[in-house]
Amino acid sequence: MGIHVGGLSSGTDYAGMIEQLMAARRIPIDTLDNKRIELDYDMGAWSQLNTLASSLTSSLDTLRGFDLWRSMSSESSVESVVTASAATASAEQQYSLVVSNLAKAQSISSDIVDTPTDLIGGGYASEGDVFEIEGEEITIEAGETLTSLRTKINSAALEMPDETRVQASIVNNHLVLTRANTGADSISLSDTTGTVLQNIGILDASAAIKNENVAGENAEFTVNGISVVRTSNDKLTDVIEGLTLNLKGVGASTLDIHADREAVKLAISEFVENYNALAAVVDDYSSVELGGSSELAVKGELYGDSLLSSIRLDLRRMATGSKSAALDETNAAYSYNGETGIMDNLSDIGIWTSGETNQLSIVDSSRLDDMLEYEFSNMEQLFKGVYDEEAVAYTNGVASDMYRYADKISASLTGDIAERIESMTEKYDDYSAEMTELEAALEDYEQTLWDQFTAMEDALANMEYQMSYIESMFSSGS
């Protein structure tokens, strides 16, 4: 819009008049903008709810899954002797281990090399000498030093099989060869051309190893009295089925293999935390606080929304409802402190709502621990439910049923919340498009007003000119 100057002839404040007319015409635009702002707040609220619902879905997926309830834990009575990790296929059992010997890697060395910077000049080798370590040939070249020889051996080691690989190092002008892996097998090496290995004292005159600093040894231990020999101390997966053993020292220890109850307890705590986080925000957005006689009621951001109301009711119903339709005295009976019951509700394991709020909490941690220890299979059933042949899924479980609901409302593209946000986004875009059209019409309207007022001003100026002319004519005639 250009610069307008009006009212020079009439003294009328056209700009002020036009501003008032424009303000009246802008009311529909402002109304649409306020609707957009409200939609923006609502979409932000739904996005937050969707994030919280997704977190709840994830924790429920863990609780309804196979891996959690089949995960095993291993406890060693003496961790300085042995530690172990258990696979999901392991059975609850105890094993007695006695470690009598740890596996060691063989390490041999040369005699001290007096002229390490010139092996040929020092009489230790001749150019073209060849020796072999674990099937890999090493050739002496002109200018060979102890350092360059070590580098050649380590380069050749890259071609050796993992189980026989040898690493070279230099300690106080001694060439040290060490087996990369533990075990009783000796390093294989020999002079092929010349006698460089004998000259530096790796081999003696009979071609046997001259200086063995550490003898290679196998690990020797018993499991429940059964003798076991292995070349390694670590990651032993072929001794006890389902266990990975790591030998740490000589001595005796007991391995206790049992269900990973701490992992289950942590998963339950995460479920409670994620449930409460979602429930708290749902309550906040659907709340209304009544003011006093002169105050208006304060409503939550999504107060009155039907979807939010159903989420609020459904979450509490699924968290506190009974699964008695599928769980009864034949498949879910339990005992605690001398009393019997049917485990078909979260309250049976010490979890319940806090007062009148829509929150869960572990109200009896001793009861929860006892159920984890002695009623583990019943707890698994409470969360997973029972297998439905027709549905080909577990149903009537706290986690399985709530997971399906939480996933239904939080799925990224097809969930109820995603569809609600998409609908609101479309409405937001419609408002924006309508505002753009109204803004353009408003600019045209303003230009029309200025054109009309300018025409009136021009007409008035022309009349004033004519009146002045007539008056001058009368004046000259007199």
Side-chain angles (χ1 to χ4, degrees):
M1 188 64 65
I3 298 176
H4 299 282
V5 180
L8 295 178
S9 297
S10 64
T12 303
D13 183 11
Y14 293 130
M17 294 174 61
I18 289 174
E19 183 178 350
Q20 293 181 27
L21 291 170
M22 292 287 288
R25 283 290 185 99
R26 179 168 285 279
I27 291 176
I29 297 176
D30 293 338
T31 300
L32 288 172
D33 194 34
N34 288 334
K35 289 181 178 180
R36 285 200 318 172
I37 292 172
E38 183 61 31
L39 274 176
D40 205 31
Y41 282 127
D42 290 351
M43 287 189 290
W46 279 117
S47 293
Q48 181 187 11
L49 287 168
N50 201 51
T51 298
L52 294 172
S54 295
S55 296
L56 175 60
T57 303
S58 179
S59 60
L60 289 167
D61 194 27
T62 299
L63 276 172
R64 75 183 186 122
F66 176 87
D67 289 345
L68 175 67
W69 299 97
R70 292 297 175 269
S71 64
M72 305 298 289
S73 177
S74 172
E75 294 183 13
S76 173
S77 62
V78 185
E79 292 189 350
S80 60
V81 172
V82 63
T83 61
S85 58
T88 55
S90 303
E92 291 198 336
Q93 195 167 343
Q94 280 192 343
Y95 298 94
S96 176
L97 277 80
V98 178
V99 180
S100 56
N101 192 64
L102 289 179
K104 299 181 180 63
Q106 184 185 35
S107 180
I108 63 177
S109 67
S110 70
D111 295 332
I112 192 166
V113 177
D114 293 328
T115 54
T117 59
D118 185 4
L119 295 181
I120 295 175
Y124 293 103
S126 299
E127 185 176 354
D129 281 353
V130 179
F131 63 91
E132 187 177 284
I133 299 179
E134 294 295 345
E136 296 296 322
E137 290 188 343
I138 312 295
T139 301
I140 301 296
E141 300 180 37
E144 199 79 73
T145 67
L146 197 62
T147 299
S148 65
L149 186 59
R150 176 211 57 198
T151 302
K152 281 185 176 181
I153 294 172
N154 286 336
S155 295
L158 298 177
E159 305 300 323
M160 299 175 189
D162 290 342
E163 61 272 14
T164 60
R165 181 167 295 134
V166 174
Q167 298 293 332
S169 61
I170 297 173
V171 177
N172 193 32
N173 286 348
H174 292 75
L175 180 66
V176 179
L177 302 179
T178 304
R179 176 80 79 190
N181 291 327
T182 55
D185 290 341
S186 181
I187 297 173
S188 173
L189 70 169
S190 62
D191 283 316
T192 303
T193 302
T195 56
V196 61
L197 292 181
Q198 288 188 41
N199 295 342
I200 62 175
I202 290 284
L203 299 178
D204 60 20
S206 64
I209 292 174
K210 183 179 181 181
N211 302 304
E212 185 179 51
N213 305 315
V214 178
E217 297 180 26
N218 290 326
E220 298 176 2
F221 57 102
T222 63
V223 179
N224 290 353
I226 299 174
S227 297
V228 181
V229 177
R230 290 293 184 271
T231 60
S232 177
N233 299 312
D234 301 318
K235 300 179 181 178
L236 303 179
T237 60
D238 59 348
V239 179
I240 303 174
E241 184 179 10
L243 292 184
T244 299
L245 301 180
N246 297 293
L247 306 181
K248 301 297 184 181
V250 173
S253 179
T254 299
L255 290 177
D256 183 15
I257 313 303
H258 54 76
D260 195 346
R261 295 174 177 83
E262 286 303 315
V264 174
K265 190 173 183 179
L266 177 61
I268 292 173
S269 297
E270 289 178 348
F271 153 65
V272 170
E273 181 180 344
N274 288 329
Y275 174 91
N276 287 341
L278 175 60
V281 176
V282 167
D283 284 351
D284 182 52
Y285 285 154
S286 58
S287 66
V288 57
E289 294 182 11
L290 299 177
S293 58
S294 61
E295 296 180 3
L296 297 175
V298 179
K299 297 179 180 180
E301 183 62 38
L302 301 175
Y303 175 77
D305 188 284
S306 59
L307 175 58
L308 188 68
S309 297
S310 65
I311 290 174
R312 184 172 186 270
L313 293 174
D314 291 340
L315 282 175
R316 187 174 182 88
R317 173 181 56 80
M318 285 186 285
T320 60
S322 170
K323 301 300 178 182
S324 57
L327 305 180
D328 52 37
E329 64 276 1
T330 63
N331 62 3
Y334 73 89
S335 62
Y336 175 69
N337 279 352
E339 299 179 357
T340 60
I342 299 172
M343 192 179 293
D344 61 2
N345 190 291
L346 286 177
S347 63
D348 294 319
I349 62 172
I351 299 174
W352 202 238
T353 55
S354 302
E356 297 181 357
T357 66
N358 198 24
Q359 298 280 293
L360 290 175
S361 63
I362 300 175
V363 296
D364 191 340
S365 58
S366 296
R367 186 184 186 98
L368 177 60
D369 290 339
D370 190 90
M371 293 300 174
L372 282 168
E373 184 68 27
Y374 301 109
E375 300 288 347
F376 193 80
S377 59
N378 273 334
M379 281 193 62
E380 177 183 0
Q381 182 176 246
L382 175 64
F383 282 99
K384 290 177 62 177
V386 295
Y387 190 75
D388 187 328
E389 296 286 350
E390 293 184 4
V392 195
Y394 283 90
T395 61
N396 284 294
V398 173
S400 59
D401 291 351
M402 194 181 294
Y403 169 82
R404 280 187 284 273
Y405 178 78
D407 185 58
K408 174 180 175 295
I409 65 175
S410 68
S412 59
L413 297 177
T414 59
D416 295 341
I417 296 178
E419 291 180 353
R420 176 60 60 87
I421 292 175
E422 181 181 5
S423 175
M424 297 172 77
T425 301
E426 291 175 355
K427 186 176 292 186
Y428 185 96
D429 292 341
D430 290 342
Y431 288 157
S432 298
E434 189 176 352
M435 286 178 62
T436 299
E437 293 178 2
L438 291 176
E439 289 282 5
L442 192 62
E443 289 185 8
D444 293 341
Y445 176 64
E446 183 178 11
Q447 185 60 52
T448 299
L449 289 176
W450 277 110
D451 290 344
Q452 290 174 348
F453 283 129
T454 299
M456 291 171 59
E457 191 70 18
D458 290 344
L460 184 59
N462 187 47
M463 290 174 59
E464 290 178 349
Y465 173 76
Q466 291 181 1
M467 290 294 295
S468 298
Y469 176 75
I470 293 172
E471 289 177 355
S472 64
M473 292 294 292
F474 277 112
S475 298
S476 62
S478 61

